[in-house]
Amino acid sequence: MSEFIEANLMLVLSIIGLVLGFLVSVTEFVTKRKPLRFLFVIAILGLVVAVTYQVHEYNQKQIEAAAQKARDGIIDEININVQETKTIVASIAESLETTRLSEVATALVTIPTSGEARFEEAMEFAKGSPEMWHRYAEWLINFNGNGVAPSLSVTLNSRHHYKPGLLLAYLLTSKNTQNDVAAVMSDSSKWDSFDPVPLYLKNFEQDTKKIRWVLFYDGSERNLVGFADAEAFTRELMVYYRLGKHTEVERLLNQHSEQQVLALQKSFPSVQTAVFATRNPSDLVQAMIQQQLAFSVAAAGPKPYIVRLERMIQLAARDS
């Protein structure tokens, strides 16, 4: 009891003051012999209101003090967590300093980068497309690269002209769909009129002989500016195709703009622009954690690599 009085001295004194004021008023009423019932009611109501107000003010101050304490505690906890996160990130980065990129990433290979001399990328989506497709399909289906992923490159801001139906046919090419796609490729009138659904269902059965990633290059200097999971990009392109939005997609793929890849990203959520000009896993893991990236591409060197944050963290944890 004494501890409560010491902690809430102003509240106790205020209530005592109100009670004494009430008693003085009652005494005065009695002394003057005025009608007491109405005056008693008024005095009691006044006392109740005054005490309630004091208690309310006290509770508000207590709530505000508790809230401020909680806010201070949250800020302190955030600061602690930030420091701990920085320490953990630094530890992960340090453990990967001597790690080779090939240990935590997968090389992305296209026909030109795999040394396929017979394939002319400039003709891939030009008049020679059917012929180029047969070479492309042969390369893809016979692809035996170990630790590498077959990829299809799309060059933006170039003289290539991409037709959505033709691009979709390339993306849907696999061991399972080779014969069906060949029938489409043999007749250019079918490039924008074929039904992609059966090919899509066949393509994404259990089959390793298919494209894994799509790489977007800028045609001005052949810089890698974006990438997309092939299955996700194909699914998005197929939706536009089925909606009959060929013209809009074709215009988007073939427009000339410094920000074309960003415009493409707005229409295709699968397209990512996390491309880093480094081969150092230590630098990559720090950048990816900071930017909250599950995937990125390391574009320095002769071949780009797809990097998974989870894989780097697992390797760092194993070696720690």
Side-chain angles (χ1 to χ4, degrees):
M1 185 67 179
S2 60
E3 293 179 358
F4 175 81
I5 294 175
E6 290 178 6
N8 306 281
L9 182 60
M10 293 304 299
L11 176 63
V12 173
L13 291 177
S14 298
I15 294 175
I16 291 175
L18 290 172
V19 172
L20 290 175
F22 171 74
L23 293 175
V24 170
S25 299
V26 170
T27 302
E28 184 178 352
F29 295 155
V30 173
T31 302
K32 294 183 178 181
R33 297 187 179 184
K34 294 182 178 181
L36 300 181
R37 179 177 298 176
F38 178 74
L39 295 176
F40 273 140
V41 171
I42 295 298
I44 291 172
L45 287 176
L47 176 63
V48 171
V49 170
V51 172
T52 302
Y53 176 76
Q54 292 294 329
V55 172
H56 173 73
E57 285 293 300
Y58 167 75
N59 287 336
Q60 284 296 108
K61 291 179 181 179
Q62 292 293 98
I63 292 172
E64 290 177 4
Q68 184 60 48
K69 186 177 180 180
R71 286 193 294 269
D72 293 342
I74 291 173
I75 292 174
D76 291 341
E77 185 175 351
I78 290 174
N79 290 333
I80 292 172
N81 289 337
V82 168
Q83 293 302 320
E84 289 180 348
T85 300
K86 288 182 178 179
T87 302
I88 293 172
V89 172
S91 176
I92 293 173
E94 183 180 359
S95 67
L96 295 175
E97 283 183 352
T98 59
T99 302
R100 295 189 305 273
L101 182 61
S102 58
E103 295 180 61
V104 294
T106 302
L108 304 178
V109 181
T110 61
I111 295 182
T113 59
S114 66
E116 177 57 63
R118 294 180 300 148
F119 186 86
E120 299 177 44
E121 191 178 33
M123 294 186 66
E124 182 180 349
F125 294 96
K127 293 181 180 179
S129 297
E131 181 185 357
M132 291 299 105
W133 175 83
H134 284 291
R135 296 177 182 176
Y136 163 82
E138 181 183 354
W139 166 79
L140 179 61
I141 293 168
N142 294 299
F143 186 83
N144 292 315
N146 184 23
V148 295
S151 307
L152 178 66
S153 62
V154 174
T155 305
L156 308 174
N157 292 316
S158 67
R159 294 181 180 180
H160 302 184
H161 189 85
Y162 295 97
K163 294 183 68 66
L166 183 57
L167 177 58
L168 188 56
Y170 268 77
L171 289 165
L172 289 173
T173 297
S174 69
K175 185 177 180 180
N176 291 331
T177 65
Q178 182 181 11
N179 294 334
D180 297 311
V181 177
V184 173
M185 297 301 297
S186 64
D187 185 352
S188 60
S189 65
K190 297 180 180 179
W191 293 352
D192 286 317
S193 61
F194 74 98
D195 182 5
V197 175
L199 291 177
Y200 178 83
L201 295 176
K202 276 189 176 182
N203 181 273
F204 291 109
E205 291 175 356
Q206 294 298 321
D207 178 16
T208 59
K209 302 294 185 177
K210 56 191 173 188
I211 285 297
R212 299 298 179 182
W213 296 91
V214 182
L215 305 179
F216 297 94
Y217 288 88
D218 180 75
S220 59
E221 296 182 1
R222 188 66 180 171
N223 292 325
L224 182 58
V225 293
F227 63 98
D229 175 82
E231 181 173 354
F233 183 74
T234 302
R235 182 169 57 248
E236 293 162 1
L237 183 60
M238 193 174 73
V239 169
Y240 284 114
Y241 191 86
R242 294 291 291 171
L243 292 174
K245 295 188 176 182
H246 302 151
T247 304
E248 293 89 334
V249 175
E250 189 169 349
R251 185 185 304 114
L252 179 62
L253 290 170
N254 298 294
Q255 70 180 9
H256 291 268
S257 169
E258 293 181 357
Q259 304 297 324
Q260 188 179 358
V261 69
L262 298 180
L264 194 65
Q265 189 178 35
K266 290 180 180 179
S267 298
F268 292 88
S270 63
V271 176
Q272 302 180 53
T273 57
V275 179
F276 298 100
T278 179
R279 294 175 59 83
N280 188 335
S282 179
D283 295 336
L284 286 167
V285 74
Q286 292 186 77
M288 291 177 70
I289 292 175
Q290 183 179 6
Q291 299 179 37
Q292 300 181 8
L293 301 171
F295 294 91
S296 73
V297 166
K303 291 187 180 75
Y305 282 77
I306 186 72
V307 184
R308 291 175 171 83
L309 178 61
E310 180 183 8
R311 186 170 171 181
M312 288 195 293
I313 292 177
Q314 288 175 343
L315 182 60
R318 186 191 67 186
D319 295 341
S320 61

